[in-house]
Amino acid sequence: MNPAEKRSIDPASQAMLTRAAKEKVPTAWDRLEAMRPQCGFGQLGLCCTFCEMGPCRVDPFGEGAVVGVCGADADTIAARQILRKVAVGGSAHSDHGRTTAMTLLQTAEGHGDYSIKDEKKLRQVARYFGIDPEGKETRALAKAVAQAALGQFGNQEGELIFLKRAPETRQKLWRELGIAPRGIDREVVTALHQTHMGVDADYVSLMKQSMRTALADGWGGSMIATDLQDILFGSPEPLRAKTNLAAIKADKVNIVVHGHEPVLSEMIAEASRDQELLAKAKEAGAEGIQISGLCCTANEILMRHGIPSAGSFLHQELAVMTGAVDVMTVDVQCWMPALKDLTEHFHTRLVTTSNRAKQLGTHHIEFHEEHALETAKEIINLAIESFKNRQPDRVEVPGVEVDMIAGFTAEYIYKMLGGRFRPSYRPLNNGIMEGRLRGVVGVVGCENPRVCQGYAHTELIRELIANDVLVVTSGCSATAAARVKLLQPETAFQMAGRGLQEICEAVGIPPVLHVGACVDNSRILIACSNMVLEGGLGNDISDLPVAGVAPEWMSEKAITIGWYAVASGISVWFGDPLPILGAPGLTQFTTHDVDKMVGAHWSFEADPIRCAHQVIAHLNAKREALKLRPMMYETQDAAAG
Ligand code: NFS
C-alpha cells in the first residue's frame, strides 16, 4: 500500500501527501510519527502541571507515586484536566458567539458594513430572549437582541435564557443537579478556579462543573453564535455546493479562508465580486478571484453562499501543497502554526487576522468589524500581488470537486417535514414510532492524523444509514462525508436501509443532513428538543433514540460538545478515549455512573463498524424502553427468512 493511502482515504489528499514526501516537506502525519511513542502518562490523564511543586505524574500500575506532591490522586488529576479542557473548548465557541453579538450590536447601531439578512429569525430569537418584537423597528430590535445576548456572558445569577428551549423535564433535572449554567463567562471562571491547586478534589463535583460549563457552550455561546449568524448572514437553506482541493483553481487568484468566525470571510466573499478587484486580477493574468474555505469557516460560507470548501482540518497543509494558494487567511481555532514554514516553500502568503491569534513572523492584517470591507479588499489586493509571484511549474491541483447538498437547519427540517402549510416534526417522529426509522445520530467532529483521514467518519455513516438511522453531520465530519458523495441525496439513498429510504422519499430529505459548522451542533440540540415537544417519544431528550459520535476527534472543543450532549441526555461515542483511562473512578463515572444522573454517558470505540453497532444497540434499547414497534423490515425479513 502506498504510504499516503494509510494516511487518508481521499485521493486528492493522497496526491498531495505523495508530493510532500517527494519534496521532503513535513506534514502533521510526519510530525506525529516523529512524536511517537506519545507520552502514556498524558494519554491516561495522569500528568499534572498545574503548580510548580510538580510536574507530577502518577503511576497507573500503582508501583510508583500514587498521588502528586499535593496529594491529588489519579481521579482528581484527570478530572481537573477534563474540566480545564471543557472550559477551553467552551470558551472557543463562546468567544465566537460574543464576536457575532458584538457585530450585531454594531450593525444595529448603524456602524460597519453588515446588514440584517434574516428579519424573521431576528423576531423569533427576540421572543426566545423574552423581547416582544411587535411594532419594533428592525434596528431597535436587533440592538435589544444583541444586548440581551451579550448579557448572557456576564450573567451572574439565575440561569441562561436559552435553557428554556430544552424540554421542561430536562430543565428541571439541570436545576435539581445544580448544573444549570448561570452565565457563560461565569461558568468558565468557576471552572478554572475549581481546577487551581488546592481547590476541588472531588471528581464528581469536577464533572458536574464540566457539564455546567459545557451546557453554557451548547445552550449558550454556540447557540448565540448560530442564531445571531443566521440573523446577520441569513439562515441557511439547502443548496448545491462543492468540495475538495480542486475548489482551488489553477487559473484564478485563490484566497483560502481558514478558521471559524465567518465575519471576515463573509466580507471577503463579498469583496471578491468587486468589479475593480476583478479587473485588477485580470490585469495580473488571472481568470478571476476564487474564494474557498477550510474547516468550519468553509462550512459557514458554504451553507449560506454555496462557496466551495477546499477541505477539512487535515487539508490545510495539503491545500498549500497545491502551489496555487495565493493567500491563506486564518482567524481563530484549528489552524496549525506549521503553516508558516510550509507556506515559505511556496509563494503563498499566510495572513493572520485576529488579535487573539497571531504568530511571530507571519503577516498580520487585523480585522475589525467596523472596517470589514476595507480589510477584505486589502487581503484580496495582497492575493493579486501574490498571484504575480506564482511559479506555474509548482502548481498541481489534484482531483475533482465533489457535489453536495448542504444547509439544513432545525427550522428548515421543520418546514421540510411538515410541508409549507403545517410545519411539524410529526413525520420524523412517526417514522421512528412505526419502525421505519431506527433513530437519529449526529456524526460530528474533527480529523486526527492518528486515524486514516475520513475513514472512520465515512464507514460509520454508511453503516448507520444502511441500518435505517438518519444521520446529521457537521464540522469536518460533514466535509469528509461530502468527499465520498454521502451528501449527494441519490448516492446516499442507495446505501440507506429500506425504512430510511421510505422516509427520505416521503418527506424529501437525504439520509445524511449537513447542518453546518461545529457551533451549529446547537441546531442538533434544538432538533432533539423539537422531537420531544412533538410528542410520542418520551418526555425528555434522554428518552429519544438518538446519539452523537465523534470518530476522529482531536480538539478540546470536541470534549466540550461531548459533555454538553451527555448533560443534555444524548449518549456519545468517541473514537480515541478521553485522557481519563488512568483514573478508575473518573472512568467509571464518565462511561457508566453519569447515566444515572443525566440519562446519558460516554463510550469509546475506535473501530467505526463496531462503533456503529454499539450505537445501533443503544438506539434499540431506547426504542424498547419507549415500547415502540420493532423495526418494520427487520420483522418482515425475519418472518420471510
Ligand atoms: Ni470542530 Fe471546526 Fe474541524 Fe474539529 Fe476544528 S474545524 S469547530 S474542532 S478540526 S471539527
Side-chain angles (χ1 to χ4, degrees), residues 161-275:
I161 214 152
F162 281 178
L163 299 190
K164 294 209 169 51
R165 295 162 78 178
E168 266 173 35
T169 338
R170 185 64 22 183
Q171 295 177 40
K172 200 164 150 257
L173 180 68
W174 288 333
R175 280 175 211 130
E176 279 167 12
L177 291 170
I179 60 168
R182 296 153 293 190
I184 299 164
D185 293 352
R186 167 146 201 198
E187 298 316 338
V188 171
V189 172
T190 301
L192 296 181
H193 179 192
Q194 246 171 290
T195 61
H196 189 273
M197 188 272 147
V199 187
D200 203 349
D202 170 348
Y203 65 83
V204 176
S205 162
L206 287 158
M207 286 307 100
K208 280 174 85 174
Q209 184 59 21
S210 291
M211 289 194 268
R212 200 176 205 181
T213 311
L215 288 169
D217 170 5
W219 297 86
S222 278
M223 209 170 266
I224 287 173
T226 295
D227 281 347
L228 271 49
Q229 282 174 181
D230 284 354
I231 293 170
L232 272 171
F233 310 132
S235 296
E237 291 217 347
L239 47 69
R240 280 187 187 280
K242 288 177 189 294
T243 187
N244 221 348
L245 290 175
I248 297 163
K249 301 291 175 216
D251 55 354
K252 292 185 180 173
V253 172
N254 286 297
I255 297 141
V256 177
V257 290
H258 176 13
H260 284 76
E261 296 181 345
V263 275
L264 173 61
S265 48
E266 282 277 334
M267 271 302 149
I268 294 182
E270 194 168 320
S272 71
R273 294 186 284 267
D274 182 284
Q275 288 309 320

Side-chain angles (χ1 to χ4, degrees), residues 494-526:
Q494 278 155 19
M495 297 178 194
R498 196 163 137 200
L500 178 58
Q501 281 188 350
E502 286 175 1
I503 295 291
C504 291
E505 218 161 25
V507 294
I509 51 169
V512 188
L513 304 172
H514 184 339
V515 298
C518 290
V519 289
D520 294 327
N521 286 335
S522 63
R523 299 191 199 276
I524 301 178
L525 295 177
I526 297 296

